[in-house]
């Protein structure tokens, strides 16, 4: 019997994720080699500055499964462009052989079988090992930048109100971070944590909501490898809209393109020779921003959880997408001379937890922060016979489970579950533990509401969310996926205008069309409205699992997508 | 983190007179006509062109009840050549003419900031009338959402 580690070592047709100095197809990269830690991490050092980027960890301290989306549509000018390429098309675009470790890491193709072969990914002790190896090699030429959505997404993060992640990240010694879900801990907690950080929390687009003055530092200049690097921070522009703004009422966000341009120019005027935008805008917003704001050399993008093996170039700007949940760490080596990038070398490092050795100090720290909660984290709630995952534009099986729980436990006709892009995956046969459940719903506004809504309002909500996802102008997109619906089917035409994307809304229990003027009992969770009442969503799902200890989900066919 | 400076509220640079109109009840169907009327009353019939005026407003409002909007107009602000007035129009509001700012050469710069209420997703229009009668316009769509499910 091969152990998993041996299996990975022996795997054939492994394409190392090496971006050549000139962007090209992966097929040019080294192939036909065994998978070792060195193969995953090492690359020939290039130039004088190395940027290491990690983003959207969502408080995943331990290795996890995370299935990438099978549907990730782009609209308007970006239709069919990365990251709106999935599955076999993605493999073809980047010259990756199906069935290889990298096909497993980057797509949803044959996910369950490949996950059984290649195992979990991420884990902060593995991430620490990657960072340490690069730091040992590059020394003071390296910057580590955290794109945010770091402090939220797990049971322990929620229990410690982000403290576990702050402690772990501090040990990694980042040079700066920005944020999004961080703000859902509320103004006072965010201030407390931010002030405790030994590195700057940057957000040039965060303003005092009353006086419209900058509330956070916009940029920081750090010298690395003899190069003055200007790191400009950009928090998620729609934090007070996509999340409960009442929890942090004194802060206003927005894209604020003109301010980005001013901050870039100011950093240049302060002597920065390289401008890096550490961004939580989302990929399409950053691609548009790069085309409109001059002077940005590199955008380290986040929020939309895309993992791309090569930079996307927009004019002279490199856009780097480093995935989520600790699955990947990006390394970008730059040759910067006379205030300009002369050449670069890039590697999206997939963090295979069975190949990359854990950093013992970080393992100890992760164990320490989890210790008070270990018994509860491991408490088994049920077993799943189906693959549970969330990521994708329209539905995910973990959301189907949550919607079923809402319908049954809250006695509702229709269930609504937000289209978050975080939430880890479970393979058929795995136990569902408290930790797994909270990975899908840990947050500070978990109340599962139950209310009567007319059919017309349900349609308006679906139209509103669809426009947040499919507006042809990226600046009007919020970066989540479509709201998940239980008990109701509908048809969606993503390329239509707001108000006419959604049709054929049908109540599944009787097949009748949704009547605009009839009230329906709707249960949902994660409302952004203040004073939402109801039990926490995890209690609702736990109650459901107690009565349904074996989860088996049929394929969800209730959303029809017009092509 | 920068500590928030609390300072006395000052009118934005250059704005000498601010007229904010109330929201009289009205029919949205009449909006286009009301916009045309307000525009004509302000410009005296001159056709607005783009350039020189920059309207700054959020793409998506954080709170439709109080949406910050700013305008700046490129002008030497001399006696012979200055910005006379700037008007904000909210196309989808019952009464589209939201505010008019009047300027003189002594204003120094033609910059104004205020907050407006937007009932729903709509275009906000800023129109500048120059001392020589020329009219410049900039438009931006501001989306007012029900509440997001993003993230």
């Amino acid at each position: 019997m091969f152990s998993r580690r041996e299996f990975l070592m022996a795997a054939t047709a492994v394409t190392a994720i090496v971006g050549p100095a000139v962007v090209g197809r992966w097929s040019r990269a080294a192939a036909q080699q065994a998978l070792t830690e060195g193969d995953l991490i090492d690359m020939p050092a290039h130039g004088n500055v190395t940027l290491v980027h990690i983003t959207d960890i969502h408080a995943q301290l331990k290795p996890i499964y995370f299935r990438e989306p099978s549907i990730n549509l782009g609209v308007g000018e970006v239709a069919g462009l990365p990251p709106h390429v999935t599955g076999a098309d993605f493999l073809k675009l980047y010259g990756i052989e199906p069935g290889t470790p990298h096909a497993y890491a980057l797509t949803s193709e044959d996910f369950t079988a490949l996950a059984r072969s290649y195992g979990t990914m991420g884990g902060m002790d593995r991430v620490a090992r990657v960072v340490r190896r690069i730091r040992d090699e590059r020394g003071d030429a390296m910057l580590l930048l955290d794109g945010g959505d770091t402090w939220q997404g797990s049971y322990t993060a929620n229990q410690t109100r982000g403290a576990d992640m702050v402690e772990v990240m501090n040990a990694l010694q980042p040079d700066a971070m920005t944020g999004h879900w961080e703000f859902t801990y509320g103004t006072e907690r965010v201030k407390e944590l931010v002030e405790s950080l030994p590195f700057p929390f940057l957000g040039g687009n965060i303003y005092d909501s009353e006086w419209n003055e900058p509330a956070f530092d916009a940029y920081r200049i750090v010298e690395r490898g003899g190069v003055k690097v200007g790191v400009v921070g950009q928090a998620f522009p729609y934090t007070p809209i996509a999340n409960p703004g009442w929890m942090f009422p004194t802060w206003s966000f927005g894209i604020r393109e003109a301010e980005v341009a001013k901050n870039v120019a100011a950093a240049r005027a302060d002597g920065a020779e390289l401008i890096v935008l550490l961004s939580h805008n989302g990929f399409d917003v950053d691609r548009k921003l790069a085309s409109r704001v001059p002077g940005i050399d590199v955008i380290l993008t986040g929020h939309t959880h895309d993992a791309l093996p090569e930079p996307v170039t927009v004019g002279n700007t490199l856009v780097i997408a480093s995935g989520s949940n600790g699955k990947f760490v990006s390394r970008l080596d730059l040759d910067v001379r006379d205030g300009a990038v002369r050449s670069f070398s890039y590697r999206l490092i997939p963090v295979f937890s069975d190949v990359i050795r854990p950093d013992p100090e970080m393992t100890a720290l992760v164990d320490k922060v989890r210790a008070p909660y270990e018994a509860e984290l491991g408490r088994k709630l049920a077993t799943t016979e189906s693959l549970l995952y969330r990521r994708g534009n329209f539905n995910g099986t973990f959301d189907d489970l949550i919607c079923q729980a809402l319908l049954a436990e809250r006695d509702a006709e229709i269930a609504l579950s937000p289209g978050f892009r975080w939430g880890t995956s479970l393979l058929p046969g795995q136990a569902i533990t408290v930790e797994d459940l909270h990975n899908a719903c840990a947050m500070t506004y978990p109340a599962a509401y139950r209310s009567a809504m007319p059919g017309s309002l349900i349609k308006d909500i679906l139209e509103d969310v669809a426009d947040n996802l499919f507006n042809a102008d990226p600046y009007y997109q919020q970066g989540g996926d479509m709201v998940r619906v239980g008990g109701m089917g509908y048809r969606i035409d993503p390329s239509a205008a707001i108000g006419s994307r959604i049709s054929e809304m049908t109540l599944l229990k009787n097949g009748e069309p949704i009547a605009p003027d009839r009230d329906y009992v709707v249960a949902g969770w994660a409302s952004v409205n203040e004073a939402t009442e109801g039990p926490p969503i995890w209690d609702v799902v736990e109650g459901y699992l107690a009565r349904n200890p074996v989860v088996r989900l049929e394929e969800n066919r209730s959303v029809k997508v017009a092509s | 983190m920068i500590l928030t400076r609390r300072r006395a509220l000052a009118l934005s640079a250059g704005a000498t007179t601010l007229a904010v109109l109330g929201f009289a009840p009205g029919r949205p169907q009449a909006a286009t006509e009301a916009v045309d009327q307000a525009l004509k009353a302000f410009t005296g019939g001159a056709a607005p062109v783009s350039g020189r005026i920059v309207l700054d407003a959020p793409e998506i409002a954080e709170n439709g009840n109080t949406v910050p909007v700013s305008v700046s107009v490129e002008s030497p602000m001399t006696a012979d050549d200055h910005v006379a007035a700037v008007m904000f129009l909210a196309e989808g509001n019952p009464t589209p003419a939201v505010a008019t700012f009047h300027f003189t050469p002594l204003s120094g710069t033609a910059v104004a900031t205020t907050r407006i209420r937007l009932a729903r997703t709509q275009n906000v229009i800023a129109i500048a009338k120059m001392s020589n009668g020329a009219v410049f316009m900039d438009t931006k769509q501001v989306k007012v959402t029900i509440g997001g499910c993003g993230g």
Side-chain angles (χ1 to χ4, degrees):
Chain A
M1 284 283 281
F2 276 106
S3 71
R4 179 172 285 150
R5 187 173 173 82
E6 286 165 330
F7 184 89
L8 283 158
M9 301 278 284
T12 55
V14 173
T15 313
I17 303 187
V18 176
V22 177
V23 175
R25 297 291 163 135
W26 265 16
S27 50
R28 289 195 212 146
Q32 300 289 327
Q33 58 182 312
L35 197 59
T36 67
E37 183 176 284
D39 293 328
L40 290 178
I41 301 175
D42 294 343
M43 62 185 244
H46 183 85
N48 44 5
V49 181
T50 294
L51 304 179
V52 177
H53 180 228
I54 187 162
T55 189
D56 296 85
I57 299 168
H58 282 288
Q60 295 306 317
L61 293 170
K62 303 287 277 186
I64 43 85
Y65 295 109
F66 184 85
R67 177 191 181 272
E68 300 294 335
S70 53
I71 300 178
N72 194 27
L73 302 176
V75 288
E77 292 175 4
V78 304
L81 298 179
H84 305 290
V85 181
T86 55
D89 293 337
F90 186 102
L91 299 181
K92 201 175 155 197
L93 179 66
Y94 290 106
I96 303 167
E97 290 292 322
T100 58
H102 302 93
Y104 161 62
L106 290 161
T107 71
S108 62
E109 294 287 283
D110 211 7
F111 182 80
T112 300
L114 295 180
R116 291 196 200 285
S117 299
Y118 297 130
T120 54
M121 298 189 70
M124 290 310 292
D125 50 2
R126 275 75 170 182
V127 168
R129 169 81 178 175
V130 173
V131 171
R132 188 184 291 263
R133 275 185 71 145
I134 301 172
R135 192 171 266 141
D136 285 350
E137 182 194 346
R138 298 293 277 170
D140 77 346
M142 186 195 105
L143 271 104
L144 173 62
L145 298 167
D146 170 10
D149 273 2
T150 307
W151 300 350
Q152 170 275 344
S154 73
Y155 181 88
T156 56
N158 229 27
Q159 290 290 320
T160 63
R161 296 189 300 147
D164 63 335
M165 289 308 296
V166 169
E167 192 171 350
V168 164
M169 291 307 290
N170 285 352
L172 281 186
Q173 297 174 276
D175 291 282
M177 76 176 290
T178 188
H180 165 200
W181 277 86
E182 282 72 13
F183 295 97
T184 63
Y185 290 114
T187 312
E188 290 314 310
R189 181 59 170 166
V190 173
K191 281 184 177 172
E192 185 185 352
L193 290 176
V194 165
E195 279 161 17
S196 79
L197 298 176
F199 55 87
F201 188 110
L202 302 176
N205 61 332
I206 311 170
Y207 275 61
D208 178 282
S209 59
E210 190 169 0
W211 303 95
N212 207 31
E213 294 171 340
F216 286 73
D217 288 331
Y219 65 90
R220 183 67 60 97
I221 296 176
V222 268
E223 189 164 332
R224 287 290 187 278
V227 176
K228 289 198 174 88
V229 184
V231 181
V232 182
Q234 175 85 347
F236 175 49
Y238 297 124
T239 306
I241 300 166
N243 304 89
W246 60 268
M247 290 181 162
F248 41 95
T250 59
W251 290 323
S252 171
F253 295 66
I255 296 172
R256 298 178 188 258
E257 184 190 87
E259 306 304 321
V260 177
K262 269 185 215 163
N263 289 324
V264 167
R268 285 264 183 217
D270 279 0
E273 299 158 89
L274 173 75
I275 297 289
V276 178
L277 185 70
L278 179 60
S279 168
H280 208 92
N281 275 336
F283 196 93
D284 288 339
V285 176
D286 276 326
R287 173 160 35 204
K288 179 174 172 180
L289 189 82
S291 73
R292 293 169 56 91
V293 176
I296 304 173
D297 297 299
V298 178
I299 299 182
L300 302 174
T301 187
H303 181 55
T304 39
H305 292 194
D306 312 293
L308 297 181
E310 293 175 6
V312 168
T313 52
V314 182
N316 292 322
T317 307
L318 296 169
V319 184
I320 303 289
S322 307
S324 67
N325 289 278
K327 263 183 92 172
F328 301 95
V329 175
S330 276
R331 171 177 174 177
L332 177 64
D333 283 15
L334 297 157
D335 186 25
V336 183
R337 272 175 293 143
D338 308 320
V341 174
R342 303 292 164 185
S343 59
F344 71 93
S345 180
Y346 175 64
R347 186 161 203 180
L348 178 69
I349 299 166
V351 184
F352 285 97
S353 71
D354 290 301
V355 179
I356 292 173
R357 282 187 286 279
D359 178 278
E361 285 174 35
M362 186 60 94
T363 304
L365 181 56
V366 168
D367 288 348
K368 191 200 92 175
V369 299
R370 285 168 56 93
Y373 312 101
E374 274 300 346
E376 179 66 1
L377 287 168
R379 185 162 61 85
K380 183 181 164 180
L381 303 174
T383 303
T384 182
E385 291 185 353
S386 304
L387 172 68
L388 296 183
Y389 66 92
R390 173 174 286 152
R391 187 67 238 283
N393 280 164
F394 299 106
N395 44 43
T397 48
F398 219 125
D399 296 305
D400 291 338
L401 169 62
I402 291 172
C403 285
Q404 283 185 3
L406 284 165
L407 292 174
E409 301 293 308
R410 303 290 281 151
D411 191 22
E413 296 174 282
I414 294 169
L416 298 177
S417 189
F420 298 131
R421 294 192 176 199
W422 47 273
T424 56
S425 309
L426 288 176
L427 304 185
Q430 278 195 288
I432 304 173
T433 63
V434 167
E435 172 159 37
D436 301 324
L437 171 57
H438 283 254
N439 280 347
C441 59
M443 54 155 52
T444 56
Y445 49 107
Y449 61 84
R450 180 180 191 275
S451 62
M453 290 184 194
S456 59
L457 178 59
I458 299 168
K459 165 120 178 0
D460 286 347
I461 291 171
L462 262 57
E463 290 282 359
D464 205 62
V465 179
D467 197 59
N468 294 340
L469 179 58
F470 295 123
N471 194 303
D473 183 344
Y475 277 12
Y476 291 86
Q477 294 172 6
Q478 293 182 20
D481 281 315
M482 190 62 193
V483 59
R484 277 62 164 130
V485 183
M488 191 188 89
Y490 67 92
R491 178 185 168 86
I492 180 167
D493 181 357
S495 59
I498 187 169
S500 46
R501 286 192 182 94
I502 308 295
S503 60
E504 298 175 25
M505 288 166 57
T506 309
L507 197 63
L508 294 178
K509 71 176 177 187
N510 58 15
E512 286 178 8
I514 298 292
D517 52 357
R518 198 204 118 179
D519 274 351
Y520 295 86
V521 178
V522 178
W525 63 290
S527 167
V528 298
N529 298 323
E530 197 168 2
T532 300
E533 291 180 1
I537 184 65
W538 46 80
D539 284 354
V540 174
V541 179
E542 187 174 336
Y544 178 78
L545 291 175
R547 277 175 277 283
N548 301 273
V550 178
V551 172
R552 183 167 187 87
L553 295 155
E554 302 302 318
E555 194 188 345
N556 187 334
R557 297 171 183 275
S558 57
V559 180
K560 296 183 178 66
V561 182
S563 53
Chain B
M1 206 155 49
I2 297 164
L3 284 179
T4 308
R5 276 183 295 127
R6 294 286 178 216
R7 56 177 169 82
L9 174 64
L11 269 182
S12 298
T16 52
T17 313
L18 167 63
V20 178
L21 305 178
F23 291 94
R27 297 186 308 277
Q29 297 93 307
T32 313
E33 198 185 321
V35 168
D36 288 347
Q37 275 179 8
L39 198 60
K40 203 171 283 177
F42 181 71
T43 63
V49 295
S50 63
R52 292 184 70 170
I53 182 167
V54 177
L55 167 66
D56 190 21
E59 284 79 9
I60 307 179
E62 290 176 4
N63 177 357
N65 289 322
T66 167
V67 181
V69 290
S70 298
V71 68
S72 63
V73 190
E74 205 186 297
S75 166
M77 296 304 278
T78 59
D80 295 339
D81 182 5
H82 62 270
V83 179
V86 170
M87 181 169 71
F88 284 116
L89 285 175
E91 214 178 59
N93 271 4
T95 304
V98 176
T100 303
F101 296 80
H102 299 276
F103 299 88
T104 75
L106 289 175
S107 302
T109 57
V111 175
T113 297
T114 188
R115 291 175 195 239
I116 63 178
R117 184 178 176 198
L118 299 177
R120 57 184 170 86
T121 299
Q122 59 190 275
N123 287 326
V124 175
I125 306 167
I127 311 111
K129 186 163 63 180
M130 316 303 274
S131 53
N132 66 2
V135 177
F136 295 91
M137 188 168 99
D138 194 15
T139 301
K140 190 159 180 184
Q141 190 191 55
V142 178
K143 199 174 145 186
V144 179
T145 64
I146 299 174
C149 290

